[in-house]
Amino acid sequence: MDSLELDLLEYYLQLGFIRPIDLQFARFLWSQALDINSEDEEGVVRANVLAKYGALVSHYLGKGHICVNLERISRGNPFQFDDKQLKKLSEQSTIEYSLEEYSSYKSIHYQDDTLSCNEPVTTPLVLDGSNLYLNRYWQYECRVAAYFKQAMPIDIDSVVMADVLNELFPMAATDDANIDYQKIAASIALINPVSVITGGPGTGKTYTVVRLLAAIIKYYEMNAALGSADKLPIIKLAAPTGKAAARMLESIRASIDSLPLTDKQFSAFPHDANTLHRLLGSLPKSSNFKHNKDNPLHLDILVVDEASMIDLPMMAKLLSAMPLHGKVIFLGDKDQLASVEAGAVLNDLCQENTGYSVQRSHLIKQLTGYDVPSTDVADENGIQDCLAWLKTSRRFGADSGIGNLARYINQGDVKSSLEVIVDPSFQDVNAKVLSEKAYKQCLDEVAKGYIPFINLAHKKDYKTALLEFTHQRLLCALREGLFGVSELNHQIEHRLNQFRSISKSGEWYVGRPVMVTQNDHALQLYNGDIGIVMEDEEGKLRVFFESSSDVRSVLPSRMPTHETAFAMTVHKSQGSEFDHTYLILPDKMNPVVTRELVYTGVTRAKSRLSLLYRKNVIEDAIETRVERFSGLIDRLA
C-alpha cells in the first residue's frame, strides 16, 4: 500500500535533509504496523502515523536530542530545516505533526496510558508526557534519573572526617568572599555515593579531587583500624577520551607529592587512567560492555573527568555497571560543548542550584565550618544535594583576557566580550578581524610554531616531541570549507613543506601528527588519541603515542581510522589544553557555531589565545545556545 508520508520522507532524503537511517526506520515501523493492523483504511492511517513519527524521533536523535517534545516543535517546520532548506520545499511537501494526532493513535505503540520507569515497555516508541522517545533512550533516561534519585547519603563519622578535611583543606576566613568551595565540594562528594563537581577552567577540580581521594583513603584506613574495613579503597580514573584520561592522571600525579600521606596511603592512588570504553570492557561488534549490572566494575571509588562529553547511553551503561557499594564522582565544566552523541547529561544535571536540603546543609557545615544555602526541604533535595560548584578561577586573574572573555561569553554578554577582544591591555588575547591577509598570516604563524616539535621528531626524541606538540594547536568550528579542519591541515602541511620542515611525498611522513577517530580495542587506541609519525631506531616509520610509562608505537598500516591533527575541531579538542591556542571562526554563521563552542575553544588556551573572527559571527554565536530536548531535568525534579 502507498504512503504519502513515506513518499515525502523519500523526497527529504533525496534533498539531503534527513539521514538514510531516518527513512529506513520509518519504513520498518510502517511495515510492522501493517502486520499488526489489518490492511484497511484505518490500519494504513495508523501505520502512516507510526512511520512519520518514527522518522521524526530518529532525525532529532541524529541532531543530539534525546526525544521530541511534540508540544514545542514548530508545526510549520517540525524537522527544524534551515531557511535555505525551506526555500526548496513547497507547502505540499511539509509533513504535519502534533501531540494530539500522536496521542489519538498511541494504542498501537503501547497498551497502557500510565508509564513507570520501573515497568518494561516493549514498543518501539514511547510517549511520556509530551516527549516522544525511541524506547531504549527512554530507558536510558529513566536509568540515569533513578540512579541519582535513589542514591542515599553515606553514613560517616562527621567529627573524624571534619578533622581529615581540615588537615587537607586548611580553614579559611568565613566571609562570603573567602568560602572554600573546594572544601565544600569535597564534603559533598564524601557524603554522597554519586556526586557532580562542576566548574570552569582553573577553578581547581583536580586540586579538589586529589584531596578528596586523600580524605577517602585516610578514612578507609581509620575504619580498618577500627575493624570495619580490611583494605584501602580500590580507586579508578576514567574519562571519555584517552587524551582526557592521560591529562587527568598527569595532573593528579603532579599534585599528590604535597599531601600529608604515608607511603601506604600513597599506594592507594591509581597508577593509570582509562577511557570509559576500556574501563567498561568493550565487546567486539556490540554496543554493550563486559561490565554491566550483572557483572559490576571491581572498584570502590570511580572518578570520571570531562563529564560534559558523556552522552546519555554511555552514562546509563556506566551507572548500571557501578557496584552497590561504589562511589562515583563526576568532574566537568557544564558550560562546555555537550557530547557529540545524543544528550547533554552534565548540563541537565547541573541546573541552577536552589540550595541543599536542611539536613544536608547542616552536615556540610559540620564537615567544613561553612554555611551553604538551604531550602525548606528537610531530608533530601534530590540532585541538588549531589551537586558541588567551584566558582573561583585560580588560573585566570582579573587581568586575564582569556578569563574575562570566557566569563562574558558564558554569560551571553556580547558587548563585554567584544570589549575584551579589542582591548590591547589584555596581553594574553590577540584577536584579529578575519580577512584574506589575516588568514594567511595566522597560518604562517601556526606553521612556524610547529617547527620545534617536528625538529624533535626528526631527532627521534619521541617523548619530548609528543610533549612539545601539546604546547600549540589550531582549532576551528567546521570540518569542510576554507575554515574547516581539512583545508586548514592542508594549508599547514603546504607551508611546512615550503619551510622544508617536512617532506610530504605521500600520506606518511616524519612529523605528521595523527588523531585516532575510531576506537581500536586490540591496539588500545581510542577516539581522540594523538600520535606523531617518527622513525624508529631501524629507520622505519611508526606512529608514536604517549603511554603510562614512556611511549609506544604502531605501524602506519595498522592504524585505525585517523586524520591529520595540525588543526582540529573544537569538539575534538575537549579534554585538552594548550599553552597557545589559535581559534579560527568561519566567515559566515553556521548552526554549529554556538556560545558553547566559542567558550570551549577559548578555554582550551592556558596562556595565550589568538582569535580570528568576524564581528557578526561571534555576536550571533554568543547569542546562540545549544538546546537539546530531554526529559531528564523534569525526571530528576
Side-chain angles (χ1 to χ4, degrees):
M1 289 192 173
D2 295 331
S3 167
L4 176 61
E5 283 78 5
L6 285 179
D7 290 343
L8 288 175
L9 290 170
E10 177 79 46
Y11 177 51
Y12 290 174
L13 177 63
Q14 291 172 2
L15 293 173
F17 295 174
I18 64 173
R19 304 173 300 165
I21 194 173
D22 303 333
L23 177 60
Q24 291 303 322
F25 184 57
R27 285 174 172 164
F28 169 76
L29 294 181
W30 189 73
S31 62
Q32 291 292 105
L34 284 184
D35 287 343
I36 296 171
N37 298 277
S38 60
E39 294 191 9
D40 55 16
E41 185 176 346
E42 180 67 14
V44 173
V45 171
R46 287 173 176 271
N48 285 338
V49 169
L50 184 56
K52 77 175 188 178
Y53 281 90
L56 186 71
V57 174
S58 178
H59 176 75
Y60 271 70
L61 186 65
K63 290 183 173 293
H65 301 278
I66 299 303
C67 57
V68 181
N69 187 306
L70 295 180
E71 286 188 330
R72 293 178 58 191
I73 60 172
S74 167
R75 293 203 177 197
N77 184 18
F79 282 85
Q80 296 183 322
F81 295 141
D82 61 33
D83 291 340
K84 287 184 179 178
Q85 292 172 324
L86 287 174
K87 286 181 181 178
K88 295 183 179 180
L89 298 174
S90 63
E91 291 183 6
Q92 290 74 28
S93 60
T94 301
I95 306 177
E96 293 279 331
Y97 289 86
S98 71
L99 176 61
E100 296 76 19
E101 179 189 41
Y102 187 88
S103 298
S104 67
Y105 288 100
K106 69 181 180 180
S107 60
I108 63 171
H109 314 305
Y110 54 84
Q111 293 73 42
D112 203 309
D113 285 340
T114 60
L115 279 178
S116 168
C117 288
N118 298 319
E119 298 173 5
V121 178
T122 58
T123 53
L125 301 179
V126 176
L127 181 65
D128 195 341
S130 58
N131 291 332
L132 185 63
Y133 297 80
L134 286 182
N135 184 301
R136 70 179 183 275
Y137 280 83
W138 177 76
Q139 293 185 38
Y140 290 148
E141 190 176 273
C142 288
R143 203 181 304 169
V144 171
Y147 192 93
F148 277 89
K149 293 181 75 171
Q150 295 170 8
M152 299 304 293
I154 298 168
D155 185 21
I156 62 173
D157 187 327
S158 59
V159 175
V160 172
M161 189 50 76
D163 290 339
V164 173
L165 286 176
N166 284 336
E167 181 183 16
L168 294 164
F169 297 87
M171 194 79 167
T174 56
D175 61 288
D176 289 342
N178 290 297
I179 288 179
D180 190 344
Y181 290 104
Q182 295 171 330
K183 188 176 184 181
I184 291 172
S187 72
I188 291 166
L190 286 167
I191 296 166
N192 292 292
V194 56
S195 56
V196 179
I197 300 175
T198 183
T203 51
K205 293 185 288 293
T206 301
Y207 175 95
T208 301
V209 81
V210 164
R211 281 153 181 76
L212 165 61
L213 293 178
I216 293 171
I217 293 167
K218 280 175 170 282
Y219 194 69
Y220 259 72
E221 196 169 49
M222 290 175 187
N223 283 344
L226 295 172
S228 59
D230 60 0
K231 61 181 178 60
L232 290 174
I234 299 173
I235 302 171
K236 293 192 177 181
L237 308 176
T241 67
K243 185 64 180 176
R247 185 167 147 257
M248 173 172 55
L249 180 63
E250 180 184 343
S251 299
I252 287 177
R253 283 176 173 173
S255 304
I256 62 176
D257 290 342
S258 60
L259 296 176
L261 299 176
T262 64
D263 289 344
K264 180 183 177 183
Q265 291 167 345
F266 273 121
S267 70
F269 271 88
H271 300 291
D272 61 1
N274 293 308
T275 64
L276 292 174
H277 283 84
R278 186 179 176 191
L279 175 79
L280 291 173
S282 295
L283 298 173
K285 299 180 181 179
S286 173
S287 61
N288 295 319
F289 295 98
K290 179 176 72 174
H291 290 288
N292 49 48
K293 63 182 178 63
D294 298 319
N295 180 30
L297 293 161
H298 182 55
L299 54 78
D300 300 304
I301 312 294
L302 175 62
V303 179
V304 183
D305 199 10
E306 297 295 343
S308 64
M309 300 168 67
I310 304 176
D311 57 56
L312 180 67
M314 175 58 79
M315 180 65 83
K317 293 170 185 178
L318 176 65
L319 295 177
S320 293
M322 284 296 297
L324 291 176
H325 73 282
K327 178 193 288 288
V328 58
I329 302 153
F330 293 102
L331 308 174
D333 184 348
K334 75 176 187 67
D335 298 309
Q336 283 189 25
L337 279 167
S339 58
V340 175
E341 302 300 328
V345 181
L346 185 68
N347 192 271
D348 285 347
L349 292 172
C350 298
Q351 294 305 298
E352 187 173 354
N353 195 342
T354 57
Y356 300 97
S357 64
V358 174
Q359 182 184 26
R360 197 60 55 90
S361 62
H362 286 167
L363 185 51
I364 292 170
K365 183 166 186 179
Q366 287 176 358
L367 292 174
T368 67
Y370 295 112
D371 289 310
V372 294
S374 64
T375 65
D376 55 1
V377 177
D379 296 328
E380 292 297 318
N381 196 21
I383 182 63
Q384 296 291 348
D385 279 349
C386 302
L387 297 181
W389 303 70
L390 301 179
K391 302 179 180 181
T392 305
S393 176
R394 290 164 171 78
R395 180 187 306 167
F396 303 124
D399 61 343
S400 167
I402 297 172
N404 279 288
L405 179 57
R407 185 173 71 256
Y408 291 135
I409 290 171
N410 211 358
Q411 294 170 353
D413 189 337
V414 174
K415 181 175 179 292
S416 297
S417 298
L418 291 173
E419 288 174 353
V420 171
I421 287 172
V422 300
D423 190 340
S425 66
F426 291 118
Q427 299 296 309
D428 55 346
V429 174
N430 177 28
K432 293 182 179 178
V433 175
L434 183 61
S435 65
E436 183 178 353
K437 180 180 178 182
Y439 179 80
K440 291 179 178 178
Q441 286 178 340
C442 177
L443 293 180
D444 286 343
E445 187 178 332
V446 170
K448 290 175 182 177
Y450 281 137
I451 291 175
F453 100 80
I454 295 174
N455 290 339
L456 291 166
H458 282 292
K459 294 176 182 177
K460 303 180 183 179
D461 193 344
Y462 308 128
K463 194 166 187 176
T464 311
L466 286 161
L467 177 63
E468 180 67 30
F469 183 61
T470 65
H471 292 166
Q472 171 190 289
R473 200 62 44 87
L474 172 61
L475 305 182
C476 57
L478 310 177
R479 295 207 58 81
E480 303 300 332
L482 186 62
F483 309 99
V485 68
S486 299
E487 178 63 20
L488 292 173
N489 274 309
H490 171 72
Q491 291 289 342
I492 293 169
E493 284 181 322
H494 175 69
R495 284 163 168 76
L496 289 171
N497 228 353
Q498 287 185 321
F499 299 155
R500 297 185 179 180
S501 288
I502 63 172
S503 299
K504 188 181 185 308
S505 55
E507 180 183 5
W508 299 101
Y509 55 87
V510 173
R512 181 192 178 200
V514 292
M515 178 169 56
V516 176
T517 57
Q518 184 175 357
N519 296 333
D520 188 316
H521 306 290
L523 292 174
Q524 295 186 358
L525 290 176
Y526 300 94
N527 187 8
D529 288 352
I530 290 180
I532 297 173
V533 179
M534 295 180 266
E535 291 183 347
D536 62 15
E537 295 303 329
E538 297 177 355
K540 295 180 180 178
L541 289 180
R542 297 181 71 92
V543 187
F544 287 79
F545 293 87
E546 286 182 291
S547 70
S548 55
S549 56
D550 190 20
V551 296
R552 61 191 181 98
S553 62
V554 177
L555 286 170
S557 60
R558 294 199 64 198
M559 279 289 292
T561 308
H562 58 274
E563 60 189 26
T564 304
F566 288 114
M568 58 199 301
T569 61
V570 174
H571 276 92
K572 290 290 187 181
S573 74
Q574 284 187 269
S576 300
E577 291 178 333
F578 315 103
D579 293 331
H580 190 171
T581 296
Y582 293 83
L583 176 60
I584 296 182
L585 297 179
D587 61 339
K588 297 177 182 177
M589 192 56 184
N590 185 289
V592 305
V593 185
T594 62
R595 181 187 305 178
E596 290 83 358
L597 181 135
V598 179
Y599 170 81
T600 303
V602 167
T603 55
R604 297 312 87 202
K606 291 198 291 187
S607 304
R608 293 180 62 196
L609 171 70
S610 294
L611 175 66
L612 224 55
Y613 72 102
R614 286 270 172 88
K615 184 172 180 286
N616 64 308
V617 172
I618 200 166
E619 286 177 340
D620 290 346
I622 294 172
E623 291 176 345
T624 304
R625 297 215 64 174
V626 173
E627 182 183 19
R628 290 186 170 179
F629 287 140
S630 162
L632 186 57
I633 297 173
D634 293 334
R635 218 177 285 283
L636 287 165

